[in-house]
Amino acid sequence: MPSEIEKSRSAPSDKLNDAQNGDSDQDKSDSISLPAHVAGSGNLGRLVDTARDYARAAASDNTLKAYAKDWAHFTRWCRMKGTEPLPPSPEMMGLYLADLASGSGPSPALSVSTIDRRLSGLVWNYAQRGFTFDRKNRHIATVLAGIKRRHARPPVQKEAILAEGILAMVATLPFELRGLRDRAMLLLGYAGGLRRSEIVSLDVHKDDTPDSGGWIEIFEKGALLTLNAKTGWREVEIGRGSKEQTCPVHALEQWLHFARIDFGPVFVRTSRDGKKALEARLNDKHVARLIKRTVLEAGIRSELPEKDRLALFSGHSLRAGLGSSAEVDERYVQKQLGHTSAEMTRRYQRRRDRFRVNLTKAAGL
């Protein structure tokens, strides 16, 4: 009876050329074409182009870039070991994972989470090349289980930015166009518990741009954000604050008014002199840089060296800050953050009362 390896090697040999050519994920989505036995036509040709566009949209640009790097690293490793990445070999994949975890090569050992994510990227890459690759195969699963047992560590969490911190950060921003934009981004991201990608992907209206990740609606009592998030479409309600200086909705209105934005991306670049809003959407890295810069200028955790302070805070600090600061029922925080489980929400609550519910006493002890 043929082994798993023999079954894998029975795949069409022309796929072996994919790895040699260093094809990208973009190239793989472009390979979508008509079946050989179907006669081509203008209508079908246009559908092929449409299918390619949908295939490219199956994952975010950042995810596709990460998957491309995963494949490039694995194929390079295979060449160095004198083997081929195609057809897939569970045994070789197990050795590759062991190499990543041990750091026996020129590169340092990777964390368990990075190894797990890289394996997911390779499974995806194999699928794009027409191969079925089971990560539950014993040659992979047992090695990965051993890596996790020996090297797994609790996740390193970014520090939450609490209410007093976000107020100090926005106070460092000037009241000119660029400052109005950055103030709106920080307050909206904090009050909405938004990911940095969700902040910059907002449009003024539905379907304003092809790369929109959601849109805004402003009402008397607040703003409603409709987001195309990782877990699907969801709505985020952001109520007005107790005063205009710290109100995220007021900050958003000020930015849109003075930047004269009534269509397209909400958060865009500005001219060099900072006096004119441009059309280009901001990159999500701007949010991370903005948070780190204002954390330093506001003097948050000033007792630490600058390098350590920069490492403590990221875009997730806004989400963790909302989860830690909002003194409301946990289910409301869970809904705002878009979490499917309360356990995930609790990871964002840095200072929650862990023993508010005492099951020991409730059990009669």
Side-chain angles (χ1 to χ4, degrees):
M1 190 169 181
S3 66
E4 293 177 62
I5 302 299
E6 290 170 340
K7 291 179 182 178
S8 295
R9 297 187 187 277
S10 65
S13 59
D14 59 348
K15 293 175 182 174
L16 294 173
N17 295 327
D18 291 344
Q20 301 298 329
N21 296 332
D23 55 332
S24 66
D25 299 302
Q26 185 74 33
D27 295 330
K28 294 313 295 179
S29 64
D30 286 348
S31 68
I32 294 176
S33 59
L34 290 173
H37 65 278
V38 176
S41 69
N43 289 334
L44 286 177
R46 285 191 291 272
L47 283 177
V48 169
D49 292 336
T50 302
R52 288 172 179 167
D53 289 339
Y54 282 129
R56 295 187 195 106
S60 69
D61 289 342
N62 287 340
T63 299
L64 291 177
K65 288 177 183 178
Y67 286 169
K69 290 180 180 178
D70 293 339
W71 185 251
H73 186 276
F74 177 61
T75 55
R76 186 169 59 250
W77 181 87
C78 288
R79 288 196 299 271
M80 293 174 62
K81 303 302 180 185
T83 185
E84 299 292 340
L86 295 174
S89 166
E91 293 90 342
M92 289 305 300
M93 185 61 70
L95 297 179
Y96 174 65
L97 298 180
D99 202 8
L100 295 179
S102 63
S104 56
S107 302
L110 299 182
S111 67
V112 172
S113 60
T114 301
I115 293 173
D116 203 33
R117 191 208 58 75
R118 184 166 290 183
L119 178 58
S120 297
L122 294 176
V123 172
W124 187 91
N125 272 284
Y126 275 122
Q128 306 315 301
R129 289 159 175 81
F131 292 97
T132 300
F133 192 67
D134 185 11
R135 60 182 293 162
K136 295 182 180 180
N137 180 283
R138 62 186 179 88
H139 295 288
I140 300 171
T142 54
V143 172
L144 188 60
I147 291 172
K148 291 181 177 181
R149 184 177 180 84
R150 180 172 296 182
H151 299 294
R153 298 287 184 274
V156 178
Q157 295 181 321
K158 294 297 182 179
E159 185 151 327
I161 297 175
L162 304 179
E164 57 270 22
I166 199 71
L167 294 180
M169 289 164 64
V170 298
T172 67
L173 298 171
F175 285 91
E176 42 84 38
L177 197 60
R178 197 172 294 158
L180 292 177
R181 179 198 65 190
D182 291 345
R183 180 177 287 100
M185 294 177 73
L186 286 177
L187 291 174
L188 202 69
Y190 183 81
L194 305 178
R195 299 176 178 88
R196 64 187 195 185
S197 59
E198 293 171 340
I199 297 173
V200 299
S201 67
L202 285 170
D203 277 2
V204 178
H205 309 107
K206 181 181 180 182
D207 299 327
D208 274 358
T209 63
D211 60 340
S212 170
W215 66 92
I216 62 173
E217 297 174 84
I218 299 179
F219 301 97
E220 181 181 350
K221 293 185 178 181
L224 178 67
L225 312 184
T226 304
L227 304 175
N228 187 6
K230 291 182 177 180
T231 54
W233 287 100
R234 67 186 181 97
E235 292 183 341
V236 175
E237 300 172 2
I238 300 179
R240 293 188 181 272
S242 55
K243 51 187 177 180
E244 286 189 346
Q245 295 91 325
T246 61
C247 174
V249 183
H250 178 73
L252 176 63
E253 291 173 323
Q254 291 286 97
W255 158 246
L256 293 176
H257 172 72
F258 287 103
R260 299 180 180 179
I261 296 175
D262 56 10
F263 183 86
V266 171
F267 295 111
V268 297
R269 301 181 184 277
T270 59
S271 58
R272 287 184 177 273
D273 58 10
K275 296 181 179 180
K276 182 181 179 182
L278 306 178
E279 294 182 358
R281 187 188 302 275
L282 279 175
N283 187 285
D284 66 342
K285 292 180 181 178
H286 175 81
V287 181
R289 292 192 293 265
L290 172 63
I291 290 171
K292 291 179 182 295
R293 188 185 81 237
T294 51
V295 159
L296 292 180
E297 293 176 353
I300 298 175
R301 296 301 302 271
S302 57
E303 75 278 5
L304 298 175
E306 181 176 308
K307 180 180 179 181
D308 294 341
R309 294 165 67 194
L310 290 174
L312 275 178
F313 298 95
S314 73
H316 258 66
S317 297
L318 296 180
R319 286 168 62 77
L322 176 72
S324 302
S325 299
E327 300 291 340
V328 296
D329 192 296
E330 190 177 79
R331 57 181 171 165
Y332 297 115
V333 179
Q334 180 181 339
K335 179 180 182 294
Q336 191 82 338
L337 296 179
H339 290 154
T340 57
S341 68
E343 182 58 36
M344 177 59 72
T345 302
R346 294 186 187 110
R347 297 181 189 179
Y348 285 75
Q349 296 173 322
R350 304 292 193 261
R351 62 177 189 182
R352 67 186 178 89
D353 184 358
R354 295 181 179 274
F355 301 102
R356 181 172 59 85
V357 177
N358 190 327
L359 290 181
T360 304
K361 292 181 178 180
L365 298 180

